[in-house]
Amino acid sequence: MGRGIKPDFQFRAVTDFDSVWLRNNGFKGVLLDMDNTLTPWKTPAPSAAVLAWRKELRAGGVKACIVSNSRQPVKVARVAAELEMPYIHRAGKPRRRGFDAGQEALELPREEILVVGDQIFTDVAGGNLARMRTCLICPISRQEFLGTKFLRLLERLAGRAVRFQAD
Ligand SMILES: [Mg+2]
């Protein structure tokens, strides 16, 4: 299991892994960040590729739930409805509360859950704190809140040594 701000896995995007990879690694469920993980921040709608990816997970028997720090319940609920999965909003990541609520929604032991997100200090650090395995992906959009940009700066200062594959 990853520790601190170190993820167990890294991918370019959620669509770069599927239910087969998840099950081969012992995962039966995923807790998914929303902004810049499932949807671009500015246009909060999942792409056709992400919709297809979600369908593949379901066909492969992998459960999914959104765990978002967003304070816009309508926005989160709309994305969750499109992706046909439950959601936790105002999750308070990196604190454990939101991840524990997500685990309850998935009804799985934490060893069988992968936390997926684009931010080290909320998604990865929080998933590790919640004693789940973690996966860092590259953010969908560069159009982010100033606060997020500040976090990215901290990540670089923290010596983030992450190489993402180009398309
Ligand atoms: Mg995010």
Side-chain angles (χ1 to χ4, degrees):
M1 190 185 299
R3 284 286 179 266
I5 59 169
K6 187 180 180 304
D8 295 285
F9 307 99
Q10 291 171 22
F11 284 96
R12 183 191 57 90
V14 291
T15 48
D16 283 359
F17 58 86
D18 61 9
S19 68
V20 175
W21 181 87
L22 287 165
R23 294 187 78 92
N24 283 344
N25 283 281
F27 299 113
K28 292 182 182 166
V30 284
L31 294 181
L32 301 162
D33 172 53
M34 186 181 77
D35 286 324
N36 271 333
T37 294
L38 293 173
T39 59
W41 173 68
K42 275 219 166 169
T43 44
S47 66
V50 168
L51 287 166
W53 172 80
R54 192 280 174 272
K55 284 197 171 69
E56 193 282 326
L57 290 198
R58 173 175 286 121
V62 175
K63 295 178 176 177
C65 176
I66 290 172
V67 178
S68 174
N69 277 1
S70 174
R71 292 167 183 273
Q72 296 175 262
V74 174
K75 178 173 124 178
V76 184
R78 199 189 313 129
V79 172
E82 268 198 82
L83 291 169
E84 298 178 357
M85 61 177 74
Y87 68 93
I88 314 294
H89 76 291
R90 286 185 180 241
K93 295 180 287 185
R95 293 192 298 277
R96 281 188 60 157
R97 174 174 54 85
F99 295 104
D100 289 345
Q103 184 202 359
E104 273 183 42
L106 292 181
E107 299 179 300
L108 290 171
R110 30 190 101 238
E111 314 85 73
E112 295 179 354
I113 296 173
L114 181 64
V115 172
V116 183
D118 67 300
Q119 287 193 41
I120 285 176
F121 288 107
T122 51
D123 305 312
V124 173
N128 285 338
L129 269 177
R131 302 202 168 279
M132 297 173 193
R133 280 181 285 171
T134 55
C135 177
L136 179 69
I137 58 128
C138 186
I140 289 177
S141 169
R142 299 286 169 194
Q143 299 162 358
E144 298 162 332
F145 288 117
L146 184 61
T148 304
K149 284 184 175 164
F150 180 65
L151 283 177
R152 301 265 178 250
L153 173 65
L154 287 182
E155 286 171 359
R156 284 198 293 277
L157 291 174
R160 178 177 179 178
V162 179
R163 297 275 187 278
F164 294 104
Q165 290 178 331
D167 282 301

